[in-house]
Amino acid sequence: ANELVRVAESHLESFEKSIQRITTFAALNVPDKNDLSYSVSVKALDRIREKAARKYDGDNLQVKDILRAQIVFPDEGSLVCALMVLNKLSNANSDDGSPHEPMTVCRIKNLFQVSALGKFVAPPLPTGYRHILVNVRLKDGFLAEIQCQLSQIFEVMGKP
């Protein structure tokens, strides 16, 4: 797990630049730019071990959010814009000279899904909490996670 943290920390600055690029584009049509926020971090070593033990039979390599970003959007439109630019970054030539971390989307977990009848699909979380998780593979194969959330849910859940 120590090596995973070291590798995650080596990606931190360029990953944050990618997240800045995503949020800058997503905020273009947001009246108050302060309504869109993000954070980028590396999961603490004890939390990696705890999650690996709880979910992956102790296999630290299965933990997908060691390097992670959380983006809180004011509305669905800005979230969709962010997913569009993330798709563009994922499909971009990694040698295009831009300062972002080359990444490829390898998994999207959409907990906003609705059924064919227009009803929300029951989330795996008992609180009803909903978000979109996007796992991206960085140039050297390291996995990172981007959590896309709506501010309205944060307000209901009592989070900042």
Side-chain angles (χ1 to χ4, degrees), residues 14-70:
S14 58
F15 185 61
E16 182 163 12
K17 286 180 182 171
S18 295
I19 299 304
Q20 286 173 343
R21 189 169 174 182
I22 292 165
T23 57
T24 298
F25 181 81
L28 288 176
N29 291 316
V30 174
D32 185 353
K33 306 302 181 223
N34 293 324
D35 287 344
L36 195 152
S37 63
Y38 74 91
S39 64
V40 178
S41 64
V42 174
K43 188 184 272 297
L45 189 57
D46 60 329
R47 301 282 294 147
I48 294 168
R49 290 183 177 136
E50 179 184 304
K51 187 170 188 176
R54 187 180 73 249
K55 293 182 79 174
Y56 304 113
D57 201 27
D59 186 355
N60 295 328
L61 293 174
Q62 297 300 313
V63 179
K64 298 170 187 68
D65 64 343
I66 295 171
L67 177 60
R68 66 237 180 121
Q70 178 184 67

Side-chain angles (χ1 to χ4, degrees), residues 76-132:
E76 295 86 354
S78 58
L79 191 153
V80 169
C81 287
L83 293 174
M84 288 175 51
V85 76
L86 180 58
N87 181 58
K88 183 178 178 189
L89 289 176
S90 181
N91 292 322
N93 180 349
S94 61
D95 297 323
D96 67 358
S98 59
H100 72 277
E101 175 85 30
M103 60 180 70
T104 303
V105 172
C106 56
R107 181 179 85 149
I108 297 176
K109 188 174 179 181
N110 181 359
L111 296 181
F112 288 114
Q113 290 179 334
V114 294
S115 71
L117 300 174
K119 305 260 186 210
F120 275 111
V121 175
L125 302 172
T127 60
Y129 183 71
R130 297 183 179 279
H131 55 222
I132 294 176

